[in-house]
Amino acid sequence: FIDEELKGCKTEAQIKKAITKAFDRAEKEWIEVAKVGFFNGYPKTAYVGSCALVAVVIDNKAYIANSGDCKAVLVRKDGENNFKATNVSKTFSANKVYEQKRLN
């Protein structure tokens, strides 16, 4: 979905919108799959969670998107050949206080 939605995007706003739309499409498709399992006698299908993490680099700029309990980390090498890790996303889990506040 990401590739399809990014076609023709030029601006930062278009890129962000395309990534969001791709996530929405993936969610909608998963809901349809879960419904089939649920209505065919497999109710636990509706309890299954998922996560997604996407990193898109366009014109030397990284766009990071995630849902669920995954987290993106950017690793860079400094001038002295040391590596430094930087969190570039948050975990979206109902167990996190900040997520509980966001969902209320």
Side-chain angles (χ1 to χ4, degrees), residues 11 16-17 20 23 27 31 37 47 55 62 71 75 82 84 86 91 95 98 103:
T11 68
K16 289 178 179 180
K17 186 175 181 179
T20 299
F23 268 72
E27 179 181 37
I31 288 169
Y47 303 126
K71 187 188 297 187
V75 179
N82 297 314
K84 181 178 182 209
T86 304
T91 302
N95 296 328
Y98 59 82
L103 294 171

Side-chain angles (χ1 to χ4, degrees), residues 31-42 45:
I31 288 169
E32 292 307 312
V33 169
K35 281 182 184 177
V36 170
F38 184 83
F39 291 119
N40 281 310
Y42 301 97
T45 305

Side-chain angles (χ1 to χ4, degrees), residues 50-89:
S50 64
C51 63
L53 175 63
V54 173
V56 177
V57 179
I58 298 174
D59 294 331
N60 210 28
K61 184 170 184 173
Y63 298 86
I64 311 298
N66 73 300
S67 67
D69 61 352
C70 53
K71 187 188 297 187
V73 178
L74 177 68
V75 179
R76 298 180 204 200
K77 192 189 283 189
D78 66 17
E80 299 176 14
N81 285 333
N82 297 314
F83 292 98
K84 181 178 182 209
T86 304
N87 290 332
V88 293
S89 71

Side-chain angles (χ1 to χ4, degrees), residues 1-9 14-15 17-23 25:
F1 296 140
I2 292 288
D3 287 341
E4 291 172 13
E5 295 299 334
L6 284 172
K7 284 183 183 165
C9 291
Q14 290 172 329
I15 293 166
K17 186 175 181 179
I19 293 170
T20 299
K21 193 170 179 184
F23 268 72
R25 286 177 61 192

